[in-house]
Amino acid sequence: MKIWTSEHTFNHPWEKVVEAAWRKYPNPMNPAVTGIDVVDRQVSDGVLITKRLIASQWGLPGWAVSIVGPTSVCYAKEYSTVNPEKKTMELKSRNLTFGSMIAVDETLRYESHPDDASKTKLSQEAVVTVQGIPLCSYVENLLTSKISHNANKGRQAIEWVIDKIETEVKDLKNSAVKNTDEILMNTKKSFGEITTAARKSIDDLHIGNQSSQSYPEV
C-alpha cells in the first residue's frame, strides 16, 4: 500500500474554487477524463450530496496491461459533499475497473483558508493498494507517481476554469451593456420618429384649417 498526500493554496475565495471544481471537466489539462454522469443528488441539512460515475483512460504501459488486462475506459465512483455554511467541499472516489486487483482511494477537500478568507486550501490524499498480481509494489509506485502528476494538472485545470468563468462573466456584462445601449438607441429613434410624425400631422392639420378659412362665403 502506498499513501500520497499534498496541499495547495488557491488565491481565490472558496465559492469561486468550488464553482470551478464542478465545471472542471472537460479541460485541456486532463484529457484522460472522458465523461462524468450524476447518479444521484440531494440536499440534507443544508449539505449538497452528489454521487457521480467518472469515465477515464488510465494510460497504463503495455507490460502493466498484460498483467491486469486491457480496457479502453476505466470507471470510478465519486461521493461528494458541499457544506456552504462551513465552506467545505469533499470528494471521495474509488475505481471500479480492476477493483479486484487495484484499489485507488482518493480524497480531495476544498476549504476556506483558515488564515485568509480570500484564499482556498486544497488537501489531497490517495491510497493505492495492489494485490494478487506480480510486481505489486512497482505498480503501486507507478500509479502513485501518475496520481501526483495528474494532481498538478488538476490544479492547473481549476485555474483554467476560473479564468474561463471570469471571461464569460465579463462577456456577459459587455453584452448586457451593448444590448442596453441598443435598446436606448432604438427607443430614442422610435420616439424621434413618433415625434416627427406627430409634428407633421399637426402641421398638416394646421395647413388644412388655413386652407378652409381662405375661401369666401357664398
Side-chain angles (χ1 to χ4, degrees):
M1 181 178 70
K2 297 291 181 181
I3 300 176
W4 172 86
T5 60
S6 176
E7 287 189 355
H8 178 76
T9 298
F10 292 99
N11 293 317
H12 308 285
W14 178 83
E15 292 83 359
K16 183 174 291 187
V17 173
V18 168
E19 181 182 0
W22 279 124
R23 297 178 55 180
K24 187 177 178 181
Y25 302 105
N27 68 74
M29 289 77 176
N30 301 106
V33 178
T34 58
I36 295 181
D37 293 301
V38 176
V39 178
D40 182 54
R41 176 168 284 168
Q42 57 181 297
V43 176
S44 177
D45 296 328
V47 177
L48 176 64
I49 302 172
T50 306
K51 297 178 182 178
R52 300 195 295 182
L53 182 66
I54 302 174
S56 63
Q57 297 174 337
W58 279 16
L60 295 174
W63 64 265
V65 172
S66 65
I67 295 175
V68 300
T71 182
S72 58
V73 180
C74 297
Y75 294 95
K77 60 180 180 179
E78 179 193 80
Y79 176 87
S80 67
T81 58
V82 178
N83 189 324
E85 182 177 352
K86 295 182 179 180
K87 292 191 175 183
T88 60
M89 177 184 188
E90 187 172 84
L91 303 95
K92 291 181 176 291
S93 63
R94 183 170 191 173
N95 62 294
L96 299 173
T97 307
F98 306 132
S100 61
M101 296 173 287
I102 300 174
V104 180
D105 295 286
E106 190 171 5
T107 302
L108 288 82
R109 181 179 176 85
Y110 300 90
E111 58 187 333
S112 183
H113 199 283
D115 299 325
D116 189 344
S118 67
K119 299 180 180 181
T120 302
K121 178 182 175 182
L122 167 62
S123 303
Q124 292 178 263
E125 179 185 85
V127 180
V128 181
T129 306
V130 179
Q131 57 186 359
I133 62 173
L135 304 173
C136 289
S137 180
Y138 187 84
V139 175
E140 288 176 348
N141 288 333
L142 174 69
L143 291 174
T144 302
S145 176
K146 194 171 185 65
I147 289 170
S148 178
H149 180 68
N150 288 340
N152 183 52
K153 288 185 175 181
R155 294 190 287 268
Q156 293 177 25
I158 291 291
E159 296 287 355
W160 180 82
V161 175
I162 289 175
D163 289 342
K164 183 180 179 182
I165 293 173
E166 290 179 345
T167 300
E168 290 175 352
V169 172
K170 186 181 297 183
D171 290 344
L172 185 61
K173 287 181 179 179
N174 291 338
S175 178
V177 170
K178 181 180 178 181
N179 291 338
T180 301
D181 290 342
E182 289 179 351
I183 291 173
L184 290 174
M185 185 180 299
N186 291 332
T187 301
K188 290 179 180 179
K189 182 180 178 181
S190 299
F191 183 76
E193 291 174 349
I194 293 173
T195 302
T196 301
R199 286 176 178 174
K200 186 176 185 301
S201 297
I202 294 173
D203 291 342
D204 291 344
L205 180 62
H206 181 67
I207 294 173
N209 289 336
Q210 287 181 339
S211 298
S212 63
Q213 294 174 2
S214 63
Y215 290 103
E217 294 184 358
V218 181

